Amino acid sequence: MKDYYTVDDLAKELGVTTRTIRNYQKSHVIEGIKVAGQWRFSRESVKSLLGETFTDPLLTFNHKRAEKTHSESLLAIDVAISSDTALRNQTQQIIKQYNLLYSGETRQFFYEKINDQLARYTLVGPLKYVLTFGQWIEAFLEENASHD
């Protein structure tokens, strides 16, 4: 998925007419910004339109910095995708480990498939959690890469 879409790009991607996209924009079904006289729609707006409510934790982490009352760390791990099946299995194992050992009130784990070649795991929370779980993920990914 691209970072920004034009009206034409989005119409092609969704299989609708450009008029439909303009109607969506006028009725606030999708939010966009005008750049050099052309409407642009962010990846987040497109995902929202499609019912995917993922909020990028990198943006949230940065935007909420003035509201923070405790120290917090963030680690984003971008991973190349060898196949959808391998990614699904890998993600299930990481989520299982998170649920067993690393979940907690001040700890967050996010997963996003960025495009067909790349996925991202993001950890947010106390520094010790981020580093410890991040090291576990690194070792897990290295072990799985050696088995491929």
Side-chain angles (χ1 to χ4, degrees), residues 102-125:
Y102 293 103
S103 64
E105 191 172 309
T106 61
R107 302 169 180 183
Q108 298 175 317
F109 169 75
F110 301 91
Y111 158 75
E112 176 188 17
K113 183 176 178 184
I114 296 173
N115 57 42
D116 289 339
Q117 293 83 34
L118 199 63
R120 174 175 291 153
Y121 300 108
T122 306
L123 313 175
V124 179

PDB file of all heavy atoms in Angstrom, residues 102-125:
ATOM      1  N   TYR A 102       4.907 -11.390  27.872  1.00  0.00           N
ATOM      2  CA  TYR A 102       5.224  -9.973  27.760  1.00  0.00           C
ATOM      3  C   TYR A 102       4.036  -9.028  27.849  1.00  0.00           C
ATOM      4  O   TYR A 102       4.225  -7.816  27.897  1.00  0.00           O
ATOM      5  CB  TYR A 102       5.979  -9.707  26.454  1.00  0.00           C
ATOM      6  CG  TYR A 102       7.345 -10.333  26.450  1.00  0.00           C
ATOM      7  CD1 TYR A 102       7.599 -11.501  25.748  1.00  0.00           C
ATOM      8  CD2 TYR A 102       8.389  -9.763  27.165  1.00  0.00           C
ATOM      9  CE1 TYR A 102       8.855 -12.086  25.759  1.00  0.00           C
ATOM     10  CE2 TYR A 102       9.646 -10.345  27.186  1.00  0.00           C
ATOM     11  CZ  TYR A 102       9.871 -11.502  26.473  1.00  0.00           C
ATOM     12  OH  TYR A 102      11.116 -12.073  26.493  1.00  0.00           O
ATOM     13  N   SER A 103       2.806  -9.531  27.853  1.00  0.00           N
ATOM     14  CA  SER A 103       1.666  -8.618  27.896  1.00  0.00           C
ATOM     15  C   SER A 103       1.582  -7.947  29.262  1.00  0.00           C
ATOM     16  O   SER A 103       2.064  -8.465  30.266  1.00  0.00           O
ATOM     17  CB  SER A 103       0.363  -9.359  27.582  1.00  0.00           C
ATOM     18  OG  SER A 103       0.093 -10.319  28.580  1.00  0.00           O
ATOM     19  N   GLY A 104       0.985  -6.780  29.292  1.00  0.00           N
ATOM     20  CA  GLY A 104       0.830  -6.039  30.536  1.00  0.00           C
ATOM     21  C   GLY A 104       0.176  -4.701  30.272  1.00  0.00           C
ATOM     22  O   GLY A 104       0.088  -4.246  29.128  1.00  0.00           O
ATOM     23  N   GLU A 105      -0.263  -4.064  31.335  1.00  0.00           N
ATOM     24  CA  GLU A 105      -1.021  -2.826  31.207  1.00  0.00           C
ATOM     25  C   GLU A 105      -0.253  -1.710  30.504  1.00  0.00           C
ATOM     26  O   GLU A 105      -0.806  -0.966  29.708  1.00  0.00           O
ATOM     27  CB  GLU A 105      -1.449  -2.353  32.597  1.00  0.00           C
ATOM     28  CG  GLU A 105      -2.467  -1.235  32.564  1.00  0.00           C
ATOM     29  CD  GLU A 105      -2.998  -0.924  33.944  1.00  0.00           C
ATOM     30  OE1 GLU A 105      -3.423  -1.858  34.638  1.00  0.00           O
ATOM     31  OE2 GLU A 105      -2.973   0.260  34.309  1.00  0.00           O
ATOM     32  N   THR A 106       1.031  -1.597  30.753  1.00  0.00           N
ATOM     33  CA  THR A 106       1.819  -0.506  30.143  1.00  0.00           C
ATOM     34  C   THR A 106       2.612  -0.982  28.935  1.00  0.00           C
ATOM     35  O   THR A 106       3.473  -0.268  28.446  1.00  0.00           O
ATOM     36  CB  THR A 106       2.801   0.086  31.178  1.00  0.00           C
ATOM     37  OG1 THR A 106       3.703  -0.946  31.607  1.00  0.00           O
ATOM     38  CG2 THR A 106       2.067   0.687  32.346  1.00  0.00           C
ATOM     39  N   ARG A 107       2.318  -2.190  28.460  1.00  0.00           N
ATOM     40  CA  ARG A 107       3.059  -2.774  27.340  1.00  0.00           C
ATOM     41  C   ARG A 107       2.139  -2.949  26.143  1.00  0.00           C
ATOM     42  O   ARG A 107       1.026  -3.430  26.274  1.00  0.00           O
ATOM     43  CB  ARG A 107       3.625  -4.135  27.739  1.00  0.00           C
ATOM     44  CG  ARG A 107       4.529  -4.061  28.932  1.00  0.00           C
ATOM     45  CD  ARG A 107       4.835  -5.427  29.450  1.00  0.00           C
ATOM     46  NE  ARG A 107       5.714  -5.342  30.603  1.00  0.00           N
ATOM     47  CZ  ARG A 107       6.189  -6.387  31.227  1.00  0.00           C
ATOM     48  NH1 ARG A 107       5.873  -7.597  30.826  1.00  0.00           N
ATOM     49  NH2 ARG A 107       6.984  -6.241  32.259  1.00  0.00           N
ATOM     50  N   GLN A 108       2.646  -2.572  24.981  1.00  0.00           N
ATOM     51  CA  GLN A 108       1.849  -2.704  23.763  1.00  0.00           C
ATOM     52  C   GLN A 108       2.657  -3.406  22.682  1.00  0.00           C
ATOM     53  O   GLN A 108       3.872  -3.230  22.586  1.00  0.00           O
ATOM     54  CB  GLN A 108       1.406  -1.335  23.255  1.00  0.00           C
ATOM     55  CG  GLN A 108       0.518  -0.594  24.229  1.00  0.00           C
ATOM     56  CD  GLN A 108       0.209   0.800  23.730  1.00  0.00           C
ATOM     57  OE1 GLN A 108       1.074   1.510  23.237  1.00  0.00           O
ATOM     58  NE2 GLN A 108      -1.046   1.192  23.850  1.00  0.00           N
ATOM     59  N   PHE A 109       1.947  -4.176  21.862  1.00  0.00           N
ATOM     60  CA  PHE A 109       2.545  -4.876  20.733  1.00  0.00           C
ATOM     61  C   PHE A 109       1.646  -4.634  19.533  1.00  0.00           C
ATOM     62  O   PHE A 109       0.425  -4.801  19.616  1.00  0.00           O
ATOM     63  CB  PHE A 109       2.636  -6.381  21.024  1.00  0.00           C
ATOM     64  CG  PHE A 109       3.005  -7.200  19.827  1.00  0.00           C
ATOM     65  CD1 PHE A 109       4.308  -7.206  19.359  1.00  0.00           C
ATOM     66  CD2 PHE A 109       2.059  -7.943  19.158  1.00  0.00           C
ATOM     67  CE1 PHE A 109       4.658  -7.958  18.244  1.00  0.00           C
ATOM     68  CE2 PHE A 109       2.396  -8.698  18.047  1.00  0.00           C
ATOM     69  CZ  PHE A 109       3.697  -8.704  17.591  1.00  0.00           C
ATOM     70  N   PHE A 110       2.227  -4.219  18.415  1.00  0.00           N
ATOM     71  CA  PHE A 110       1.474  -3.962  17.191  1.00  0.00           C
ATOM     72  C   PHE A 110       2.100  -4.736  16.041  1.00  0.00           C
ATOM     73  O   PHE A 110       3.311  -4.923  15.992  1.00  0.00           O
ATOM     74  CB  PHE A 110       1.509  -2.467  16.828  1.00  0.00           C
ATOM     75  CG  PHE A 110       0.950  -1.571  17.877  1.00  0.00           C
ATOM     76  CD1 PHE A 110       1.776  -1.027  18.853  1.00  0.00           C
ATOM     77  CD2 PHE A 110      -0.397  -1.262  17.899  1.00  0.00           C
ATOM     78  CE1 PHE A 110       1.277  -0.189  19.823  1.00  0.00           C
ATOM     79  CE2 PHE A 110      -0.913  -0.426  18.874  1.00  0.00           C
ATOM     80  CZ  PHE A 110      -0.076   0.111  19.842  1.00  0.00           C
ATOM     81  N   TYR A 111       1.242  -5.145  15.115  1.00  0.00           N
ATOM     82  CA  TYR A 111       1.700  -5.815  13.904  1.00  0.00           C
ATOM     83  C   TYR A 111       1.013  -5.144  12.722  1.00  0.00           C
ATOM     84  O   TYR A 111      -0.175  -4.824  12.780  1.00  0.00           O
ATOM     85  CB  TYR A 111       1.340  -7.302  13.932  1.00  0.00           C
ATOM     86  CG  TYR A 111       1.296  -7.907  12.553  1.00  0.00           C
ATOM     87  CD1 TYR A 111       2.469  -8.188  11.875  1.00  0.00           C
ATOM     88  CD2 TYR A 111       0.095  -8.143  11.911  1.00  0.00           C
ATOM     89  CE1 TYR A 111       2.441  -8.707  10.595  1.00  0.00           C
ATOM     90  CE2 TYR A 111       0.050  -8.656  10.638  1.00  0.00           C
ATOM     91  CZ  TYR A 111       1.225  -8.931   9.990  1.00  0.00           C
ATOM     92  OH  TYR A 111       1.194  -9.427   8.716  1.00  0.00           O
ATOM     93  N   GLU A 112       1.766  -4.923  11.657  1.00  0.00           N
ATOM     94  CA  GLU A 112       1.190  -4.367  10.442  1.00  0.00           C
ATOM     95  C   GLU A 112       1.911  -4.936   9.229  1.00  0.00           C
ATOM     96  O   GLU A 112       3.141  -4.972   9.193  1.00  0.00           O
ATOM     97  CB  GLU A 112       1.344  -2.844  10.440  1.00  0.00           C
ATOM     98  CG  GLU A 112       0.847  -2.199   9.170  1.00  0.00           C
ATOM     99  CD  GLU A 112       1.163  -0.712   9.085  1.00  0.00           C
ATOM    100  OE1 GLU A 112       2.021  -0.219   9.833  1.00  0.00           O
ATOM    101  OE2 GLU A 112       0.549  -0.042   8.234  1.00  0.00           O
ATOM    102  N   LYS A 113       1.141  -5.384   8.249  1.00  0.00           N
ATOM    103  CA  LYS A 113       1.719  -5.759   6.964  1.00  0.00           C
ATOM    104  C   LYS A 113       1.760  -4.480   6.140  1.00  0.00           C
ATOM    105  O   LYS A 113       0.737  -3.929   5.761  1.00  0.00           O
ATOM    106  CB  LYS A 113       0.879  -6.826   6.267  1.00  0.00           C
ATOM    107  CG  LYS A 113       1.492  -7.289   4.968  1.00  0.00           C
ATOM    108  CD  LYS A 113       0.700  -8.425   4.339  1.00  0.00           C
ATOM    109  CE  LYS A 113       1.313  -8.835   3.021  1.00  0.00           C
ATOM    110  NZ  LYS A 113       0.507  -9.872   2.360  1.00  0.00           N
ATOM    111  N   ILE A 114       2.964  -3.969   5.912  1.00  0.00           N
ATOM    112  CA  ILE A 114       3.129  -2.680   5.245  1.00  0.00           C
ATOM    113  C   ILE A 114       2.837  -2.796   3.745  1.00  0.00           C
ATOM    114  O   ILE A 114       2.152  -1.974   3.168  1.00  0.00           O
ATOM    115  CB  ILE A 114       4.546  -2.133   5.489  1.00  0.00           C
ATOM    116  CG1 ILE A 114       4.722  -1.858   6.992  1.00  0.00           C
ATOM    117  CG2 ILE A 114       4.799  -0.879   4.668  1.00  0.00           C
ATOM    118  CD1 ILE A 114       6.120  -1.488   7.393  1.00  0.00           C
ATOM    119  N   ASN A 115       3.385  -3.837   3.128  1.00  0.00           N
ATOM    120  CA  ASN A 115       3.129  -4.117   1.717  1.00  0.00           C
ATOM    121  C   ASN A 115       3.443  -5.594   1.489  1.00  0.00           C
ATOM    122  O   ASN A 115       3.650  -6.335   2.445  1.00  0.00           O
ATOM    123  CB  ASN A 115       3.935  -3.189   0.789  1.00  0.00           C
ATOM    124  CG  ASN A 115       5.425  -3.259   1.046  1.00  0.00           C
ATOM    125  OD1 ASN A 115       6.004  -4.326   1.260  1.00  0.00           O
ATOM    126  ND2 ASN A 115       6.078  -2.100   1.017  1.00  0.00           N
ATOM    127  N   ASP A 116       3.485  -6.034   0.246  1.00  0.00           N
ATOM    128  CA  ASP A 116       3.715  -7.454  -0.037  1.00  0.00           C
ATOM    129  C   ASP A 116       5.122  -7.931   0.324  1.00  0.00           C
ATOM    130  O   ASP A 116       5.355  -9.124   0.433  1.00  0.00           O
ATOM    131  CB  ASP A 116       3.445  -7.758  -1.517  1.00  0.00           C
ATOM    132  CG  ASP A 116       1.963  -7.698  -1.848  1.00  0.00           C
ATOM    133  OD1 ASP A 116       1.141  -7.824  -0.913  1.00  0.00           O
ATOM    134  OD2 ASP A 116       1.634  -7.517  -3.036  1.00  0.00           O
ATOM    135  N   GLN A 117       6.052  -7.000   0.509  1.00  0.00           N
ATOM    136  CA  GLN A 117       7.429  -7.385   0.803  1.00  0.00           C
ATOM    137  C   GLN A 117       7.847  -7.138   2.254  1.00  0.00           C
ATOM    138  O   GLN A 117       8.880  -7.629   2.684  1.00  0.00           O
ATOM    139  CB  GLN A 117       8.412  -6.604  -0.088  1.00  0.00           C
ATOM    140  CG  GLN A 117       8.341  -6.936  -1.557  1.00  0.00           C
ATOM    141  CD  GLN A 117       7.240  -6.177  -2.274  1.00  0.00           C
ATOM    142  OE1 GLN A 117       6.936  -5.048  -1.951  1.00  0.00           O
ATOM    143  NE2 GLN A 117       6.609  -6.827  -3.243  1.00  0.00           N
ATOM    144  N   LEU A 118       7.045  -6.378   3.018  1.00  0.00           N
ATOM    145  CA  LEU A 118       7.497  -5.931   4.333  1.00  0.00           C
ATOM    146  C   LEU A 118       6.384  -5.915   5.372  1.00  0.00           C
ATOM    147  O   LEU A 118       5.271  -5.479   5.092  1.00  0.00           O
ATOM    148  CB  LEU A 118       8.056  -4.510   4.183  1.00  0.00           C
ATOM    149  CG  LEU A 118       8.978  -3.981   5.251  1.00  0.00           C
ATOM    150  CD1 LEU A 118      10.269  -4.805   5.319  1.00  0.00           C
ATOM    151  CD2 LEU A 118       9.309  -2.525   4.979  1.00  0.00           C
ATOM    152  N   ALA A 119       6.720  -6.403   6.576  1.00  0.00           N
ATOM    153  CA  ALA A 119       5.819  -6.326   7.734  1.00  0.00           C
ATOM    154  C   ALA A 119       6.554  -5.587   8.849  1.00  0.00           C
ATOM    155  O   ALA A 119       7.781  -5.486   8.831  1.00  0.00           O
ATOM    156  CB  ALA A 119       5.431  -7.722   8.195  1.00  0.00           C
ATOM    157  N   ARG A 120       5.800  -5.079   9.821  1.00  0.00           N
ATOM    158  CA  ARG A 120       6.411  -4.352  10.940  1.00  0.00           C
ATOM    159  C   ARG A 120       5.805  -4.826  12.251  1.00  0.00           C
ATOM    160  O   ARG A 120       4.589  -4.911  12.399  1.00  0.00           O
ATOM    161  CB  ARG A 120       6.190  -2.858  10.801  1.00  0.00           C
ATOM    162  CG  ARG A 120       6.685  -2.058  12.011  1.00  0.00           C
ATOM    163  CD  ARG A 120       6.576  -0.574  11.804  1.00  0.00           C
ATOM    164  NE  ARG A 120       7.545  -0.174  10.787  1.00  0.00           N
ATOM    165  CZ  ARG A 120       7.412   0.869   9.994  1.00  0.00           C
ATOM    166  NH1 ARG A 120       6.360   1.648  10.088  1.00  0.00           N
ATOM    167  NH2 ARG A 120       8.340   1.144   9.087  1.00  0.00           N
ATOM    168  N   TYR A 121       6.689  -5.113  13.211  1.00  0.00           N
ATOM    169  CA  TYR A 121       6.302  -5.381  14.586  1.00  0.00           C
ATOM    170  C   TYR A 121       6.753  -4.161  15.393  1.00  0.00           C
ATOM    171  O   TYR A 121       7.898  -3.736  15.276  1.00  0.00           O
ATOM    172  CB  TYR A 121       6.978  -6.640  15.126  1.00  0.00           C
ATOM    173  CG  TYR A 121       6.645  -7.881  14.336  1.00  0.00           C
ATOM    174  CD1 TYR A 121       7.589  -8.483  13.518  1.00  0.00           C
ATOM    175  CD2 TYR A 121       5.375  -8.442  14.392  1.00  0.00           C
ATOM    176  CE1 TYR A 121       7.286  -9.618  12.783  1.00  0.00           C
ATOM    177  CE2 TYR A 121       5.066  -9.578  13.657  1.00  0.00           C
ATOM    178  CZ  TYR A 121       6.016 -10.164  12.860  1.00  0.00           C
ATOM    179  OH  TYR A 121       5.712 -11.280  12.131  1.00  0.00           O
ATOM    180  N   THR A 122       5.862  -3.603  16.196  1.00  0.00           N
ATOM    181  CA  THR A 122       6.192  -2.423  16.988  1.00  0.00           C
ATOM    182  C   THR A 122       5.897  -2.703  18.452  1.00  0.00           C
ATOM    183  O   THR A 122       4.816  -3.197  18.786  1.00  0.00           O
ATOM    184  CB  THR A 122       5.383  -1.194  16.519  1.00  0.00           C
ATOM    185  OG1 THR A 122       5.579  -1.014  15.118  1.00  0.00           O
ATOM    186  CG2 THR A 122       5.804   0.054  17.261  1.00  0.00           C
ATOM    187  N   LEU A 123       6.849  -2.383  19.315  1.00  0.00           N
ATOM    188  CA  LEU A 123       6.718  -2.560  20.754  1.00  0.00           C
ATOM    189  C   LEU A 123       6.743  -1.182  21.407  1.00  0.00           C
ATOM    190  O   LEU A 123       7.581  -0.348  21.064  1.00  0.00           O
ATOM    191  CB  LEU A 123       7.881  -3.379  21.309  1.00  0.00           C
ATOM    192  CG  LEU A 123       8.255  -4.652  20.552  1.00  0.00           C
ATOM    193  CD1 LEU A 123       9.499  -5.275  21.155  1.00  0.00           C
ATOM    194  CD2 LEU A 123       7.099  -5.629  20.567  1.00  0.00           C
ATOM    195  N   VAL A 124       5.828  -0.962  22.353  1.00  0.00           N
ATOM    196  CA  VAL A 124       5.777   0.297  23.093  1.00  0.00           C
ATOM    197  C   VAL A 124       5.612  -0.034  24.560  1.00  0.00           C
ATOM    198  O   VAL A 124       4.780  -0.868  24.920  1.00  0.00           O
ATOM    199  CB  VAL A 124       4.604   1.189  22.629  1.00  0.00           C
ATOM    200  CG1 VAL A 124       4.558   2.488  23.430  1.00  0.00           C
ATOM    201  CG2 VAL A 124       4.681   1.479  21.141  1.00  0.00           C
ATOM    202  N   GLY A 125       6.406   0.613  25.410  1.00  0.00           N
ATOM    203  CA  GLY A 125       6.282   0.390  26.843  1.00  0.00           C
ATOM    204  C   GLY A 125       7.565   0.718  27.570  1.00  0.00           C
ATOM    205  O   GLY A 125       8.440   1.407  27.034  1.00  0.00           O
TER     206      GLY A 125
END
